[in-house]
Amino acid sequence: MSQEQPQRPQQEPIKYGDVFNVSDELASKPITPKEAAMMQATENQALGTTQKGGPAAVMQSAAAVNVTAGLINRDDISNVARDQGMSVSETKVGNNRVITECVGREVVGQFVEPNIAMKNPGSTLDGDAVTIGEALEASALTSAGDKPLEMSDAAAIQAAEMRATGKNETEAGGLGATAQSAATNNTRTLPFTQKTTLSDVLTDAREKLQSDKAVTKEDAEGVIGAEIRNKPNMRTTPGGVAASVAAAATLNQNK
């Protein structure tokens, strides 16, 4: 009698719950090219561009993997997307914009952007403009400064450091590398009191940066993208690195 061959586990498509912090109804739905295209069109209409590292970009990557692996058809679309659609809303808070992106009624991303149109390049901003180092130090003084440093914080700090130095890599032993090491250690350290906080890393940030520069809108957008790409809920932390850099960009333009 022949013995049955063991069944190989069937690969499953990437679902919303794999990349976003959403409820069961949406979490179990595969991400499809049609839905990714819908979100991209919605972002473009509301923001004038596709947010780098935002929900549309994440959905496009996931949908491409699903189609390439033959796990879904290009014309598939979930009932949530078909019946409830996509939305990108904007709320003004002070001089900043809070952007909220939804699939149906589920929030898949929320972040803060400076509500400004930069008229001057960063190199020609006033001498008293807020620098990236100062913005990082400001984050250390907010309520977010007391929270344990996470991977999303480290990614934002690394992006800010590269913007400040003008280099495309993290400086060995620099602020970004220190943040990355602290975030990694925090995932392994159980006692809360032993975790490294945001303020532990960002206090005196200006002294830890090899060079510094005035914050521009472009700098803020780069840091925001880095932070939300590394958060499961794709939301910037209130008072965190991205929010502080966005606030600095707004202050600089308003001076």
Side-chain angles (χ1 to χ4, degrees):
M1 184 173 66
S2 63
Q3 187 176 5
E4 286 188 19
Q5 293 296 318
Q7 295 283 330
R8 294 181 63 187
Q10 186 176 0
Q11 184 181 356
E12 293 191 353
I14 300 173
K15 302 170 183 175
Y16 280 95
D18 296 326
V19 293
F20 299 119
N21 185 17
V22 293
S23 69
D24 291 341
E25 180 186 11
L26 183 61
S28 61
K29 307 294 185 186
I31 299 175
T32 72
K34 273 196 170 183
E35 292 164 49
M38 288 170 63
M39 180 57 83
Q40 182 181 21
T42 305
E43 278 191 7
N44 284 334
Q45 183 176 10
L47 307 177
T49 185
T50 300
Q51 175 70 26
K52 184 179 179 181
V58 171
M59 289 171 66
Q60 287 169 338
S61 297
V65 171
N66 287 343
V67 170
T68 302
L71 301 173
I72 60 172
N73 295 320
R74 288 188 176 275
D75 293 331
D76 287 348
I77 184 170
S78 70
N79 62 310
V80 175
R82 183 184 62 245
D83 299 338
Q84 301 177 27
M86 315 278 177
S87 65
V88 177
S89 60
E90 175 184 319
T91 304
K92 188 173 181 180
V93 179
N95 288 318
N96 292 326
R97 300 185 302 162
V98 178
I99 310 298
T100 304
E101 303 193 31
C102 298
V103 176
R105 291 183 290 271
E106 294 281 348
V107 175
V108 294
Q110 189 174 64
F111 51 94
V112 178
E113 276 196 344
N115 186 29
I116 54 177
M118 292 299 288
K119 294 174 286 204
N120 302 316
S123 60
T124 61
L125 288 170
D126 293 340
D128 62 346
V130 181
T131 67
I132 289 175
E134 289 171 332
L136 295 177
E137 290 180 354
S139 181
L141 299 175
T142 69
S143 58
D146 295 328
K147 79 177 189 68
L149 193 141
E150 302 172 357
M151 290 298 183
S152 58
D153 303 314
I157 292 168
Q158 288 175 327
E161 180 185 49
M162 287 189 283
R163 287 277 178 172
T165 62
K167 298 180 179 179
N168 292 322
E169 58 184 8
T170 302
E171 294 284 341
L175 192 60
T178 300
Q180 181 64 49
S181 176
T184 301
N185 287 335
N186 279 350
T187 64
R188 302 169 182 163
T189 304
L190 293 179
F192 185 86
T193 55
Q194 293 182 22
K195 292 181 183 291
T196 302
T197 66
L198 196 63
S199 62
D200 290 334
V201 173
L202 293 184
T203 298
D204 298 324
R206 283 175 288 176
E207 297 177 8
K208 300 172 184 176
L209 289 172
Q210 286 196 0
S211 58
D212 204 356
K213 67 180 285 290
V215 182
T216 67
K217 181 182 180 183
E218 291 73 22
D219 297 327
E221 290 173 344
V223 175
I224 289 167
E227 185 167 304
I228 65 175
R229 280 196 302 273
N230 289 274
K231 291 194 73 173
N233 62 4
M234 300 200 77
R235 303 186 187 192
T236 52
T237 301
V241 177
S244 295
V245 174
T250 301
L251 286 172
N252 284 348
Q253 185 57 28
N254 288 342
K255 284 184 177 180

